[in-house]
Amino acid sequence: MHINNQNIGCLFDLDGVLVDTAVYHYKAWKDLANSLGFDFTEAQNEHLKGVNRMRSLDMILEWGGVEKTAAEKEVLATTKNEAYVKMISKMTESEVLPGSLKLLQDLKASGIKIALGSASKNSGLILERTGLAPLFDAIVDGNHVGTSKPDPEVFLKGAGLLGVEAQHCIVFEDAQAGVQAAIAGKMKVVGIGQAANLMGADVVISDLSGITVEEIVALIK
Ligand code: B16
Ligand code: MG
């Protein structure tokens, strides 16, 4: 198939790529752990990035050596989420990470399709608060998938909604689990952050101001 911009798809992770909601996740999980009588470090928190809510809770409880029933875990996850939603409800456009808005606008102007591929069940609120929502052709988040990254489901669904073949998709990810998900989906990956945390990415940049539409298109041609 001849590749033109209309059959290229860009799939963006949310937390750590477009916005830094990780600080709010960390605060809400830390408060929850403290209420249970233990703490965890920022280094441990790195392992929660890209991981869905219930899996994150399981990891934190394991770090604290605390066991809970399934029903108790539901209550704890809800408590954390309520605190988190309270914080993200106050987010503004100023919290969009450097280069994100310009790259999304440039991609849109060039006719390349754009989807969200996030583990979060709160992506709708975040995209609305930060003004990014109108730039997306499709949204796939934690409400639409049964598996968590590194399973490629979230990105394959995004490609399907965009009507673009997987090999014509480029994923933007800040978490190792997300890079693995993109590779499992046979997609190209742009890693955001430190190369050591993004093994297998085709290119690694520190934020979205570090790449142009031309460089993105060149990745699949
Ligand atoms: P929620 P992403 C992920 O977002 C976060 O990195 C991760 O820390 C969080 O646990 C997960 O979303 C679920 O979020 O509790 O809001 O459903 O990086 O996949 O955009
Ligand atoms: Mg992320």
Side-chain angles (χ1 to χ4, degrees):
M1 187 207 264
H2 172 71
I3 303 171
N4 57 37
N5 287 0
Q6 281 67 39
N7 45 46
I8 296 175
C10 283
L11 306 172
F12 289 87
D13 175 56
L14 182 60
D15 175 35
V17 171
L18 298 173
V19 293
D20 188 11
T21 35
V23 289
Y24 302 126
H25 281 297
Y26 183 43
K27 168 110 181 60
W29 281 130
K30 202 175 162 65
D31 288 349
L32 187 85
N34 292 169
S35 76
L36 295 171
F38 67 94
D39 206 356
F40 64 93
T41 65
E42 244 173 283
Q44 285 174 300
N45 186 61
E46 279 301 305
H47 298 288
L48 302 178
K49 291 187 175 172
V51 175
N52 72 25
R53 197 181 306 162
M54 292 313 285
R55 176 77 194 117
S56 298
L57 177 62
D58 281 337
M59 289 167 71
I60 292 165
L61 292 177
E62 208 174 305
W63 294 336
V66 173
E67 281 189 25
K68 295 284 177 191
T69 64
E72 286 168 335
K73 284 186 201 173
E74 282 298 332
V75 173
L76 292 172
T78 301
T79 302
K80 180 268 174 178
N81 192 55
E82 283 170 0
Y84 174 71
V85 167
K86 209 169 165 184
M87 291 186 267
I88 60 170
S89 298
K90 293 181 199 139
M91 284 181 84
T92 67
E93 291 176 11
S94 68
E95 288 172 78
V96 173
L97 288 171
S100 306
L101 180 61
K102 181 169 188 309
L103 183 63
L104 290 173
Q105 288 170 335
D106 289 351
L107 287 168
K108 204 162 182 61
S110 72
I112 293 174
K113 302 215 181 87
I114 305 170
L116 188 80
S118 165
S120 177
K121 293 186 170 175
N122 295 298
S123 77
L125 175 59
I126 296 165
L127 293 179
E128 184 204 314
R129 290 293 313 165
T130 53
L132 295 177
L135 292 160
F136 288 86
D137 299 299
I139 306 275
V140 184
D141 73 8
N143 297 297
H144 310 112
V145 291
T147 59
S148 193
K149 301 166 189 175
D151 190 286
E153 183 186 5
V154 68
F155 295 133
L156 293 175
K157 275 205 166 150
L161 286 174
L162 294 181
V164 171
E165 289 177 36
Q167 66 265 33
H168 296 163
C169 287
I170 304 104
V171 168
F172 296 79
E173 257 294 345
D174 73 312
Q176 186 66 62
V179 172
Q180 288 169 249
I183 293 170
K186 305 205 170 6
M187 298 175 178
K188 297 290 179 195
V189 201
V190 176
I192 312 295
Q194 305 286 328
N197 303 327
L198 298 160
M199 303 288 281
D202 295 286
V203 49
V204 176
I205 52 178
S206 55
D207 62 47
L208 292 177
S209 62
I211 197 160
T212 62
V213 171
E214 291 68 32
E215 288 165 336
I216 290 167
V217 170
L219 283 173
I220 58 160
K221 283 195 171 165

